């Protein structure tokens, strides 16, 4: 560890570790179709991801002219049930991720997930993909309680606490990731291949990578 600047590296999940766009859009469109709403293109759904399933559904309904909280509440379990039933069927890791995780592990770095996805679903996803043993802990959008997910720093602080303290960095694809990391006092690396709702250069990250083979050098440069 003497030649590597971080003891802990945390990752966002959707759009950072895995391309979950096909599964998320299928479940969102399933929920919309159940009440006769038109489907959204997968490419468009990407711009709605980042604050969890309820927020994604709310944004989709608002765009279709029905920002009805009663409907959001009714359709959330429909969306979640469909997602859970199909989880892990079509969400490949981004290119170079496995090698990057192996490289971090070889350096003795503790690796975690901090996502705004429900904790139960995040854990189920990595278990289904056979990758649960790669992450020391998984913190979801509901882990810390209502209103305490990203962009709040609370889950980042909890990640560091659970992993025993030390120098930490975070990797994500949204302004919520960057804001949470910086509020917690740690640097953030943004992935240019993620589910971006704005140009990656505008996120304010400490570094930007276009492929996971750039992660280790980017982290080393942040020292």
């Amino acid at each position: 560890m003497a030649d590597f600047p971080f003891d802990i590296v945390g990752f966002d999940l959707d759009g950072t570790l895995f391309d979950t766009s096909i599964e998320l859009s299928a479940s969102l469109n399933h929920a919309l179709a159940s009440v006769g709403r038109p489907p959204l293109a997968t490419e468009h759904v990407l711009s709605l991801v980042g604050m969890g399933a309820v927020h994604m559904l709310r944004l989709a309904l608002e765009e279709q002219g029905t920002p009805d909280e009663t409907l959001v509440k009714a359709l959330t379990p429909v969306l979640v049930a469909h997602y859970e039933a199909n989880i892990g069927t079509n969400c490949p890791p981004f290119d170079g991720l496995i090698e990057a995780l192996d490289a971090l592990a070889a350096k003795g770095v503790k690796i975690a997930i901090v996502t705004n996805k429900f904790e139960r679903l995040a854990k189920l996803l990595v278990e289904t993909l056979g990758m649960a043993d790669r992450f020391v802990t998984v913190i979801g959008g509901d882990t810390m309680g209502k209103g305490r997910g990203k962009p709040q720093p609370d889950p980042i602080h909890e990640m560091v606490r659970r992993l025993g303290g030390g120098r930490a960095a975070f990797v994500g694809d949204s302004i919520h990731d960057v804001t949470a990391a910086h509020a917690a006092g740690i640097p953030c690396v943004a992935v240019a291949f993620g589910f971006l709702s704005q140009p990656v250069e505008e996120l304010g990250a400490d570094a930007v990578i276009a492929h996971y083979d750039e992660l280790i050098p980017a982290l080393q440069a942040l020292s």
Side-chain angles (χ1 to χ4, degrees):
M1 285 296 298
D3 63 342
F4 196 71
F6 299 105
D7 308 292
I8 298 166
V9 175
F11 290 84
D12 174 50
L13 197 157
D14 296 295
T16 299
L17 290 172
F18 311 111
D19 182 358
T20 55
S21 60
I22 294 175
E23 290 186 2
L24 289 172
S25 61
S27 296
L28 175 60
N29 285 330
H30 172 79
L32 294 174
S34 72
V35 289
R37 302 294 177 181
L40 298 177
T42 298
E43 294 75 17
H44 182 61
V45 172
L46 300 188
S47 67
L48 310 180
V49 177
M51 290 289 286
V54 177
H55 187 71
M56 177 177 67
L57 179 59
R58 181 179 294 115
L59 291 178
L61 290 170
E62 286 177 353
E63 289 187 0
Q64 295 182 348
T66 54
D68 184 337
E69 285 303 307
T70 300
L71 190 55
V72 172
K73 187 175 182 178
L75 291 184
T76 296
V78 177
L79 188 160
V80 171
H82 183 275
Y83 183 72
E84 184 171 5
N86 296 278
I87 200 166
T89 57
N90 196 348
C91 59
F94 285 103
D95 288 346
L97 171 67
I98 303 304
E99 292 80 4
L101 294 179
D102 286 343
L104 289 172
K107 294 179 181 297
V109 176
K110 298 174 184 177
I111 306 169
I113 291 174
V114 179
T115 175
N116 277 338
K117 187 190 293 292
F118 292 135
E119 179 185 312
R120 175 177 61 83
L121 295 177
K123 288 181 175 179
L124 178 60
L125 176 57
V126 293
E127 288 167 1
T128 301
L129 296 175
M131 295 181 64
D133 61 345
R134 290 181 174 273
F135 305 101
V136 179
T137 193
V138 176
I139 298 172
D142 55 337
T143 302
M144 305 303 296
K146 187 175 182 179
R148 295 179 64 195
K150 297 177 296 183
Q152 300 302 318
D154 305 45
I156 305 293
H157 287 310
E158 177 67 7
M159 172 190 76
V160 175
R161 186 194 69 79
R162 289 185 182 186
L163 272 60
R167 303 159 296 173
F170 196 70
V171 183
D173 70 329
S174 77
I175 190 66
H176 309 304
D177 297 317
V178 177
T179 301
H182 286 172
I186 69 172
C188 186
V189 176
V191 297
F193 46 80
F195 299 169
L196 302 171
S197 58
Q198 64 193 101
V200 69
E201 295 80 13
E202 296 179 4
L203 297 180
D206 301 279
V208 175
I209 61 172
H211 189 282
Y212 266 116
D213 62 10
E214 301 171 12
L215 179 61
I216 299 299
L219 290 170
Q220 289 175 321
L222 290 179
S223 64

